[in-house]
């Protein structure tokens, strides 16, 4: 008997994406450019994060028409975002047949206390996290993939670096602890004990962990890989750059060859201006998307 | 060869590389990550892992691995392709004019079981493996639509060919690297050992 939606096929889907780049796209055309550039998946959106940021107001799930157009245009997997806690947007995306749902802080949260119970779904979910506790809470809810949040739509890598460094440092700390200390640590960081114990024993998150939120150049992508990410999400970075095709290819090559510095030097030349970017100190706390999620 | 540890390469561009490396270590062989053509020279067999076949197909050409892999395969180097790896091996991909490595006389249908929500686990019987059925993990999996007369069908699922062998080439629609069952990796190791007994120096 065939069983669908098992933990293994959900997490396995993310394992097949490792070392790859997932690009935000808003049209079928962009999706084709992303696929040709070597993206392992695309995220179908109505607006990229920097435009969501500029537009203000409530950001919701994309119009299903856009998602369907993107699904028709490419053979690589298609992801789409639902609002945090919006069970019905998630069900709609599942019904559309998207390959992965991102329960994302980039959209305006629908629930200020609870995330979607992702175990109830057949389609896998990816969720954002700023630290180990948040990552393991999402895994406990059924997330089959984690992405460190960074600060979406800023083109500024500093928050993404902060979050991946935090997760890695906390994992190292947990690995070094004796098992006696884990219950207190679970309480301290708000992580489910059983998952923390698993992390202690294996030395890594139970699911694949990508980086997101601020990747604007090939060097940024390579930096996230250097710091231990399994792959990279690029939101506004590709299609807000001057030459998306070339830029997209350079980010893919940089991610897969992140320690080949001669290649990185070549990749970084003549690719046009990256997106403009925002300095973090000019964003107030309530303008920061990474603060969303509980 | 007696007493030597087999070196099995894994195409290290993108996808489930570390999972295959673990399985290879667990069968007592040494995994070698193949990112550049030079590393191909030191391996006795090659695994093409699961990943995104479109991405992998584009990048093996770009990174200069396409010709060297084909050349070694034509000289008999055993290759084991899983999921996307199977698509890379195929002579023909349904609905596409192009193909990738074009080594195995099979026509494949991509994502033939549906999208990710249709991905599944099922026990399958594989010819040549003894014991319990094999735990098949099918993720946006392809299947073999037609196979040439030299191709031996190893497993079927819902009337579709999901594992096959042609000489030293082995292909599976599913992901043995996501399970703890090492029998297919052992099978591949035996193919390499046989080839080496005849050819390797």
């Amino acid at each position: 008997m065939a069983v669908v939606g098992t933990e293994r096929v959900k997490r396995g889907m993310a394992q097949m994406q490792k070392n790859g780049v997932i690009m935000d796209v808003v049209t079928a055309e962009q999706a084709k450019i992303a696929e040709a550039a070597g993206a392992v998946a695309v995220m179908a959106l109505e607006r990229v994060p920097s435009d969501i940021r500029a537009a203000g107001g409530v950001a919701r799930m994309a119009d299903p028409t856009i998602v369907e157009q993107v699904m028709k245009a490419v053979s690589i997997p298609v992801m789409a975002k639902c609002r945090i806690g919006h069970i019905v947007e998630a069900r709609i995306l599942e019904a559309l047949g998207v390959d992965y749902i991102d329960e994302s802080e980039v959209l305006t949260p629908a629930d200020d206390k609870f995330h979607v119970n992702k175990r109830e779904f057949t389609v896998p979910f990816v969720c954002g996290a700023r630290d180990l506790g948040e990552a393991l809470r999402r895994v406990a809810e059924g997330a089959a993939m984690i992405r460190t949040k960074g600060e979406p739509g800023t083109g500024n890598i500093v928050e993404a670096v902060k979050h991946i460094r935090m997760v890695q440092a906390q994992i190292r700390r947990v690995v070094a602890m004796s098992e006696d200390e884990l219950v207190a640590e679970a309480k301290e960081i708000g992580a489910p004990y059983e998952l923390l114990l698993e992390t202690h024993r294996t030395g890594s998150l139970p699911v694949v962990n990508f980086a997101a939120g601020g990747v604007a150049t090939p060097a940024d992508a390579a930096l996230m890989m250097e710091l231990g990410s399994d792959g990279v999400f690029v939101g506004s970075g590709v299609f807000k750059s001057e030459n998306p095709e070339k830029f997209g290819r350079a980010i893919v090559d940089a991610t897969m060859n992140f320690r080949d510095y001669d290649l990185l030097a070549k990749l970084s030349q003549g690719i046009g201006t990256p997106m403009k970017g925002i300095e973090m100190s000019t964003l107030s706390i309530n303008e920061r998307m990474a603060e969303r999620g509980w | 060869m007696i007493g030597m540890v087999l070196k099995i390469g894994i195409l290290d561009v993108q996808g489930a590389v570390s999972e295959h490396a673990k399985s290879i270590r667990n069968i007592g062989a040494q995994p070698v990550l193949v990112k550049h053509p030079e590393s191909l020279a030191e391996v006795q067999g090659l695994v093409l892992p699961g990943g995104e076949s479109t991405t992998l197909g584009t990048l093996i050409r770009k990174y200069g691995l396409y010709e060297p892999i084909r050349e070694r395969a034509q000289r008999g180097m055993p290759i084991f392709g899983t999921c996307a790896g199977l698509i890379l091996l195929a002579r023909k991909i349904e609905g596409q004019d192009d193909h990738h490595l074009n080594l195995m006389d099979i026509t494949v249908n991509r994502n033939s079981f549906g999208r990710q929500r249709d991905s599944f686990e099922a026990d399958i019987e594989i010819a040549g493996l003894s014991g319990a059925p094999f735990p098949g993990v099918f993720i946006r999996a392809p299947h073999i639509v037609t196979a040439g007369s030299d191709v031996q069908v190893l497993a079927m699922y819902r009337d579709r060919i999901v594992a096959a062998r042609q000489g030293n080439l082995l292909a599976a629609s599913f992901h043995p690297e996501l399970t703890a069952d090492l029998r297919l990796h052992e099978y591949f190791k035996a193919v390499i050992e046989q080839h080496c007994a005849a050819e390797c120096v």
Side-chain angles (χ1 to χ4, degrees):
Chain A
M1 263 309 287
V3 192
V4 296
T6 61
E7 189 170 85
R8 187 146 62 178
V9 298
K10 289 176 173 179
R11 291 181 180 183
M13 163 74 201
Q15 286 167 275
M16 298 309 139
Q17 306 264 296
K18 283 192 303 180
N19 258 23
V21 178
I22 300 169
M23 298 183 193
D24 280 3
V25 298
V26 298
T27 62
E29 278 312 297
Q30 288 188 354
K32 284 182 181 159
I33 292 172
E35 184 177 48
V40 290
V42 289
M43 178 79 69
L45 293 163
E46 220 165 293
R47 293 192 189 117
V48 294
S50 62
D51 288 339
I52 289 174
R53 193 175 277 292
V58 173
R60 309 179 179 91
M61 172 186 80
D63 181 336
T65 315
I66 293 174
V67 179
E68 281 191 331
Q69 285 166 351
V70 169
M71 283 168 51
K72 280 199 190 104
V74 293
S75 66
I76 54 176
V78 176
M79 303 186 168
K81 290 184 195 290
C82 76
R83 283 180 265 177
I84 288 173
H86 208 308
I87 304 161
V88 175
E89 282 188 352
R91 285 294 181 194
I92 291 170
L93 293 174
E94 182 177 53
L96 285 172
V98 303
D99 296 298
Y100 235 94
I101 296 175
D102 183 1
E103 186 184 20
S104 177
E105 68 282 2
V106 167
L107 305 180
T108 312
D111 191 318
D112 68 353
K113 289 187 182 62
F114 305 107
H115 284 248
V116 171
N117 179 6
K118 294 163 275 286
R119 292 186 186 279
E120 296 288 310
F121 287 71
T122 304
V123 66
F125 281 73
V126 55
C127 286
R130 286 160 296 179
D131 55 49
L132 182 60
E134 194 173 13
L136 294 180
R137 290 197 293 280
R138 297 295 85 82
V139 173
E141 292 157 358
M145 180 183 193
I146 290 294
R147 52 174 174 73
T148 43
K149 287 179 174 175
E151 188 54 41
T154 60
N156 187 339
I157 199 70
V158 66
E159 295 296 301
V161 168
K162 190 190 290 180
H163 298 156
I164 186 72
R165 279 209 182 270
M166 175 62 104
V167 170
Q168 302 289 30
Q170 287 177 306
I171 290 174
R172 283 193 295 272
R173 206 175 113 82
V174 165
V175 168
M177 281 179 174
S178 82
E179 288 196 10
D180 308 2
E181 297 168 302
L182 291 178
V183 171
E185 179 68 5
K187 179 185 170 210
E188 175 70 25
I189 67 171
Y193 169 73
E194 293 299 333
L195 289 173
L196 198 69
L197 180 63
E198 189 184 333
T199 308
H200 167 74
R201 288 179 178 162
T202 63
S204 64
L205 285 176
V207 299
V208 162
N209 181 28
F210 271 44
V215 174
T217 66
D220 286 349
L223 174 62
M224 299 319 293
M225 298 301 288
E226 179 67 43
L227 294 176
S229 297
D230 293 316
V232 177
F233 280 90
V234 186
S236 324
V238 173
F239 290 98
K240 285 290 168 188
S241 73
E242 206 176 323
N243 184 344
E245 276 182 79
K246 211 171 171 187
F247 216 86
R249 282 200 302 271
I251 288 191
V252 168
D253 284 341
T255 303
M256 293 180 185
N257 302 284
F258 63 96
R259 281 188 180 145
D260 185 341
Y261 305 119
D262 293 331
L263 178 74
L264 291 176
K266 277 187 211 137
L267 290 176
S268 306
Q269 290 167 16
I271 48 171
T273 317
M275 65 180 288
K276 186 165 175 271
I278 300 171
E279 158 53 33
M280 293 313 301
S281 60
T282 63
L283 285 181
S284 66
I285 284 290
N286 54 22
E287 287 175 305
R288 295 190 184 196
M289 293 169 174
E291 300 297 318
R292 299 161 168 177
W294 357 103
Chain B
M1 283 303 293
I2 293 163
M4 259 182 72
V5 175
L6 276 189
K7 288 185 179 176
I8 303 179
I10 308 165
L11 177 68
D12 180 25
V13 172
Q14 184 274 313
V17 177
S18 61
E19 292 79 357
H20 269 295
K22 188 176 172 192
S23 300
I24 288 169
R25 272 192 298 273
N26 286 341
I27 57 167
Q30 183 188 338
V32 175
L33 303 185
V34 176
K35 208 186 247 308
H36 304 288
E38 307 84 75
S39 355
L40 259 189
E42 56 174 298
V43 304
Q44 283 101 37
L46 179 69
V47 168
L48 306 174
E52 284 309 318
S53 64
T54 313
T55 312
L56 287 169
T58 309
L59 296 171
I60 53 171
R61 287 179 175 88
K62 192 167 177 178
Y63 298 158
L65 287 159
Y66 181 82
E67 279 305 330
I69 293 175
R70 274 182 54 82
E71 195 185 302
R72 280 294 303 273
Q74 278 157 356
R75 285 193 281 131
M77 176 180 71
I79 301 183
F80 180 19
T82 59
C83 194
L86 174 151
I87 298 172
L88 294 184
L89 285 172
R91 181 150 297 169
K92 185 163 172 36
I93 302 166
E94 270 196 344
Q96 288 179 218
D97 297 329
D98 57 337
H99 48 66
H100 299 298
L101 290 166
N102 186 16
L103 288 168
M104 213 171 158
D105 191 11
I106 52 174
T107 299
V108 298
N109 180 297
R110 298 177 58 193
N111 304 339
S112 51
F113 295 94
R115 299 196 72 96
Q116 172 60 22
R117 65 180 175 192
D118 308 304
S119 293
F120 63 96
E121 291 185 48
D123 287 342
I124 48 173
E125 297 288 345
I126 300 177
L129 296 192
S130 54
F134 197 89
V137 182
F138 293 80
I139 298 177
R140 286 169 46 97
H143 86 278
I144 298 170
V145 187
T146 57
S149 51
D150 289 351
V151 179
Q152 182 196 356
V153 172
L154 297 180
M156 306 276 290
Y157 182 73
R158 284 194 231 153
D159 300 326
R160 292 166 187 192
I161 305 170
V162 294
R165 176 177 176 183
Q166 181 181 10
N168 290 335
L169 305 174
L170 186 63
S173 299
F174 47 90
H175 294 282
E177 75 277 18
L178 295 185
T179 73
D181 195 319
L182 299 171
R183 284 177 292 166
L184 269 178
H185 284 88
E186 295 276 14
Y187 183 105
F188 181 54
K189 188 181 167 195
V191 173
I192 300 175
E193 280 166 345
Q194 255 176 4
H195 172 66
C196 278
E199 304 275 337
C200 291
V201 232

